[in-house]
Short mmCIF file of all heavy atoms in Angstrom, two decimals:
data_model
loop_
_atom_site.label_atom_id
_atom_site.label_comp_id
_atom_site.label_asym_id
_atom_site.label_seq_id
_atom_site.Cartn_x
_atom_site.Cartn_y
_atom_site.Cartn_z
N ASP A 127 122.10 51.64 158.37
CA ASP A 127 122.38 50.83 159.56
C ASP A 127 122.30 49.35 159.25
O ASP A 127 123.07 48.55 159.81
CB ASP A 127 121.41 51.18 160.69
CG ASP A 127 121.69 52.54 161.29
OD1 ASP A 127 122.82 53.05 161.11
OD2 ASP A 127 120.79 53.10 161.94
N ARG A 128 121.38 48.98 158.37
CA ARG A 128 121.25 47.57 157.98
C ARG A 128 122.55 47.06 157.37
O ARG A 128 123.02 45.96 157.70
CB ARG A 128 120.10 47.43 156.98
CG ARG A 128 119.97 46.05 156.34
CD ARG A 128 118.95 46.10 155.21
NE ARG A 128 118.97 44.88 154.42
CZ ARG A 128 118.68 44.82 153.13
NH1 ARG A 128 118.34 45.93 152.49
NH2 ARG A 128 118.72 43.68 152.48
N PHE A 129 123.15 47.85 156.50
CA PHE A 129 124.37 47.42 155.82
C PHE A 129 125.58 47.50 156.75
O PHE A 129 126.50 46.68 156.64
CB PHE A 129 124.57 48.24 154.55
CG PHE A 129 123.56 47.90 153.49
CD1 PHE A 129 122.39 48.63 153.37
CD2 PHE A 129 123.75 46.82 152.65
CE1 PHE A 129 121.44 48.30 152.41
CE2 PHE A 129 122.81 46.47 151.69
CZ PHE A 129 121.65 47.21 151.57
N LYS A 130 125.57 48.45 157.65
CA LYS A 130 126.66 48.50 158.64
C LYS A 130 126.59 47.29 159.56
O LYS A 130 127.62 46.74 159.96
CB LYS A 130 126.58 49.81 159.44
CG LYS A 130 126.99 51.02 158.62
CD LYS A 130 126.91 52.31 159.43
CE LYS A 130 127.37 53.49 158.60
NZ LYS A 130 127.29 54.78 159.33
N ARG A 131 125.37 46.88 159.91
CA ARG A 131 125.22 45.68 160.74
C ARG A 131 125.71 44.44 159.99
O ARG A 131 126.26 43.51 160.59
CB ARG A 131 123.76 45.50 161.16
CG ARG A 131 123.29 46.49 162.22
CD ARG A 131 121.97 46.05 162.84
NE ARG A 131 120.89 45.96 161.85
CZ ARG A 131 120.09 46.97 161.53
NH1 ARG A 131 120.26 48.17 162.10
NH2 ARG A 131 119.13 46.81 160.65
N MET A 132 125.51 44.41 158.67
CA MET A 132 126.01 43.29 157.87
C MET A 132 127.53 43.17 158.00
O MET A 132 128.08 42.06 158.07
CB MET A 132 125.66 43.48 156.39
CG MET A 132 124.23 43.25 156.04
SD MET A 132 124.00 43.52 154.26
CE MET A 132 122.21 43.49 154.16
N LEU A 133 128.19 44.31 158.02
CA LEU A 133 129.65 44.31 158.11
C LEU A 133 130.12 43.93 159.51
O LEU A 133 131.19 43.34 159.67
CB LEU A 133 130.20 45.69 157.73
CG LEU A 133 130.00 46.09 156.27
CD1 LEU A 133 130.37 47.54 156.06
CD2 LEU A 133 130.82 45.20 155.35
N GLY A 134 129.32 44.29 160.51
CA GLY A 134 129.61 43.88 161.88
C GLY A 134 131.04 44.17 162.30
O GLY A 134 131.50 45.32 162.24
N PRO A 135 131.80 43.14 162.68
CA PRO A 135 133.15 43.35 163.22
C PRO A 135 134.17 43.86 162.22
O PRO A 135 135.26 44.30 162.61
CB PRO A 135 133.55 41.96 163.74
CG PRO A 135 132.72 41.02 162.93
CD PRO A 135 131.43 41.72 162.70
N ILE A 136 133.85 43.81 160.91
CA ILE A 136 134.82 44.30 159.93
C ILE A 136 134.52 45.73 159.49
O ILE A 136 135.23 46.28 158.65
CB ILE A 136 134.90 43.38 158.69
CG1 ILE A 136 133.58 43.43 157.91
CG2 ILE A 136 135.28 41.97 159.09
CD1 ILE A 136 133.67 42.79 156.53
N TYR A 137 133.45 46.33 160.06
CA TYR A 137 133.12 47.70 159.66
C TYR A 137 134.27 48.65 159.99
O TYR A 137 134.88 48.59 161.05
CB TYR A 137 131.86 48.21 160.36
CG TYR A 137 131.64 49.68 160.07
CD1 TYR A 137 131.01 50.09 158.90
CD2 TYR A 137 132.14 50.66 160.93
CE1 TYR A 137 130.86 51.44 158.61
CE2 TYR A 137 132.00 52.00 160.64
CZ TYR A 137 131.36 52.39 159.48
OH TYR A 137 131.23 53.73 159.19
N SER A 138 134.56 49.55 159.06
CA SER A 138 135.49 50.66 159.31
C SER A 138 135.07 51.81 158.42
O SER A 138 134.49 51.60 157.34
CB SER A 138 136.93 50.25 159.00
OG SER A 138 137.12 50.05 157.60
N ASP A 139 135.37 53.02 158.85
CA ASP A 139 135.06 54.19 158.02
C ASP A 139 135.82 54.11 156.70
O ASP A 139 135.30 54.53 155.65
CB ASP A 139 135.44 55.48 158.76
CG ASP A 139 134.52 55.76 159.94
OD1 ASP A 139 133.41 55.19 159.98
OD2 ASP A 139 134.92 56.54 160.83
N GLU A 140 137.04 53.56 156.75
CA GLU A 140 137.84 53.45 155.54
C GLU A 140 137.15 52.57 154.50
O GLU A 140 137.02 52.93 153.33
CB GLU A 140 139.22 52.88 155.86
CG GLU A 140 140.11 52.71 154.63
CD GLU A 140 141.40 51.98 154.93
OE1 GLU A 140 141.67 51.67 156.10
OE2 GLU A 140 142.12 51.69 153.96
N LEU A 141 136.68 51.40 154.93
CA LEU A 141 135.98 50.49 154.02
C LEU A 141 134.72 51.15 153.48
O LEU A 141 134.45 51.13 152.28
CB LEU A 141 135.65 49.19 154.75
CG LEU A 141 134.98 48.06 153.96
CD1 LEU A 141 135.28 46.71 154.61
CD2 LEU A 141 133.47 48.23 153.83
N TRP A 142 133.94 51.74 154.38
CA TRP A 142 132.67 52.38 154.01
C TRP A 142 132.87 53.47 152.96
O TRP A 142 132.15 53.55 151.97
CB TRP A 142 132.04 52.95 155.27
CG TRP A 142 130.60 53.38 155.15
CD1 TRP A 142 130.12 54.64 155.08
CD2 TRP A 142 129.45 52.51 155.10
NE1 TRP A 142 128.74 54.64 155.00
CE2 TRP A 142 128.31 53.35 155.01
CE3 TRP A 142 129.27 51.14 155.14
CZ2 TRP A 142 127.01 52.84 154.95
CZ3 TRP A 142 127.98 50.63 155.06
CH2 TRP A 142 126.87 51.48 154.98
N ASN A 143 133.91 54.28 153.17
CA ASN A 143 134.16 55.40 152.26
C ASN A 143 134.81 54.94 150.96
O ASN A 143 134.53 55.47 149.89
CB ASN A 143 135.02 56.45 152.95
CG ASN A 143 134.29 57.13 154.09
OD1 ASN A 143 133.07 57.28 154.06
ND2 ASN A 143 135.02 57.52 155.13
N THR A 144 135.70 53.95 151.05
CA THR A 144 136.37 53.45 149.85
C THR A 144 135.37 52.86 148.86
O THR A 144 135.47 53.06 147.64
CB THR A 144 137.41 52.37 150.21
OG1 THR A 144 138.40 52.96 151.07
CG2 THR A 144 138.09 51.83 148.97
#
Side-chain angles (χ1 to χ4, degrees):
D127 288 341
R128 172 190 170 210
F129 290 94
K130 288 180 178 179
R131 287 194 299 271
M132 286 180 190
L133 294 171
I136 67 168
Y137 172 83
S138 69
D139 290 342
E140 179 187 355
L141 183 155
W142 193 254
N143 293 329
T144 299

